[in-house]
Amino acid sequence: MVVLTPTVLDTRSTPWTMGWVAILLGALAVQMLLVLVDHLAHDADSPKHDDVPEA
């Protein structure tokens, strides 16, 4: 996905190439947001050290 982007940008900027670049960048942004949300949700779900009962 990232390897194809520089070759697409160096060619003539036709509407369909710009559309594909926008789709690829949008997909990358969505994946980065999903990773961030997953990371933050995992931290919020984990119990704090004080909340864990002593065995």
Side-chain angles (χ1 to χ4, degrees):
M1 180 165 67
V2 179
V3 176
L4 294 176
T5 304
T7 58
V8 170
L9 291 176
D10 287 339
T11 59
R12 285 184 291 150
S13 296
T14 58
W16 65 270
T17 55
M18 295 308 291
W20 278 112
V21 168
I23 289 170
L24 292 175
L25 292 177
L28 185 63
V30 167
Q31 286 185 352
M32 289 175 61
L33 284 173
L34 288 174
V35 168
L36 178 66
V37 167
D38 184 45
H39 178 69
L40 293 175
H42 179 67
D43 289 345
D45 290 341
S46 63
K48 301 288 185 222
H49 181 64
D50 296 336
D51 296 339
V52 178
E54 296 289 328

